[in-house]
Amino acid sequence: MNKDHLIYILDEQVSVGFTGRVNILSSPAKQHLGSILIVDGEIIDCEYKKIDSLKAFFNLCVDEFEKEPLAYIVEPELVELSKKTIHYPYSVLKRKIATVVEGYRESKKHRPPEGLKILLDPAFMSDDKKVTDSEFKLMSTITDYNKVSDIYMNCELLDYEITNCLVSLRKKKALKVIKNKDA
């Protein structure tokens, strides 16, 4: 495994009980994209491309899988446990990465273009049809945000879960898709 690869860096920091942050930079521009906070060798928080917590961590893993050029800088520092938003041990996170990347790979071709607007169909809402918990979370997000890029940014679901729920809700005729004139 490449020593510049995220998993290699995290494995190394976890094995020595590191406390501090791993800054995430775009390579070659070196623009700051976020950071991973680690306390005593456990990941407690992640912020990446203006998204927080587990969703940010898994989006970072997907971007690395997609070969997005990223660089990492490890900086020891005091980190407050009050910032803890990730409650899984690193071993569990590491196992989940494969599932997330596979889910992303399978759903990637179904992701709608960023410029579309998605609305809930009022007829579907009045029919009292069954939806899954994930579909309900997505529908709740769509009530506040209708632009595809905003939905993906603001929904707590992982990106591949959002895509799968959009496909499922579209099949149930719960959504109306509108082309955005600004796109």
Side-chain angles (χ1 to χ4, degrees):
M1 184 183 304
N2 183 341
K3 67 180 181 167
D4 295 330
H5 191 272
L6 175 64
I7 299 303
Y8 178 88
I9 291 168
L10 292 177
D11 282 348
E12 186 175 63
Q13 302 317 310
V14 166
S15 72
V16 297
F18 174 77
T19 295
R21 88 177 45 240
V22 177
N23 288 307
I24 308 156
L25 308 173
S26 65
S27 183
K30 302 298 184 210
Q31 175 188 2
H32 187 265
L33 300 175
S35 60
I36 299 170
L37 296 180
I38 303 173
V39 173
D40 296 328
E42 288 298 325
I43 296 171
I44 66 161
D45 193 22
C46 181
E47 188 267 325
Y48 178 64
K49 293 184 176 177
K50 300 180 183 173
I51 298 174
D52 295 319
S53 197
L54 272 175
K55 183 171 179 169
F57 179 77
F58 288 128
N59 282 351
L60 169 61
C61 293
V62 166
D63 282 356
E64 178 137 317
F65 165 77
E66 285 288 303
K67 307 284 189 258
E68 187 167 312
L70 299 170
Y72 304 99
I73 297 174
V74 178
E75 293 181 342
E77 69 178 70
L78 294 176
V79 177
E80 297 176 33
L81 272 175
S82 63
K83 296 188 181 279
K84 186 171 187 162
T85 63
I86 296 176
H87 300 281
Y88 292 110
Y90 177 65
S91 59
V92 172
L93 288 174
K94 196 171 171 182
R95 281 194 307 270
K96 287 182 174 238
I97 289 170
T99 303
V100 169
V101 169
E102 183 61 31
Y104 167 79
R105 184 186 294 147
E106 290 174 8
S107 70
K108 184 167 90 169
K109 62 184 171 275
H110 299 294
R111 184 176 172 138
E114 299 288 314
L116 291 180
K117 286 189 175 183
I118 298 175
L119 304 172
L120 295 174
D121 187 340
F124 177 82
M125 303 302 288
S126 63
D127 284 347
D128 195 33
K129 294 190 179 173
K130 300 237 185 258
V131 294
T132 65
D133 289 342
S134 295
E135 289 171 339
F136 182 77
K137 287 176 185 175
L138 177 61
M139 290 170 67
S140 297
T141 302
I142 292 172
T143 61
D144 293 328
Y145 306 95
N146 58 25
K147 191 174 171 191
V148 168
S149 58
D150 292 338
I151 292 168
Y152 278 86
M153 171 135 332
N154 292 291
C155 185
E156 69 183 67
L157 300 172
L158 297 173
D159 286 6
Y160 81 92
E161 294 171 321
I162 294 170
T163 302
N164 292 341
C165 286
L166 285 171
V167 169
S168 173
L169 289 169
R170 185 77 193 259
K171 286 179 182 176
K172 292 178 180 179
K173 300 191 183 330
L175 304 175
K176 290 185 174 189
V177 178
I178 301 167
K179 289 192 183 206
N180 188 353
K181 294 174 186 162
D182 299 333

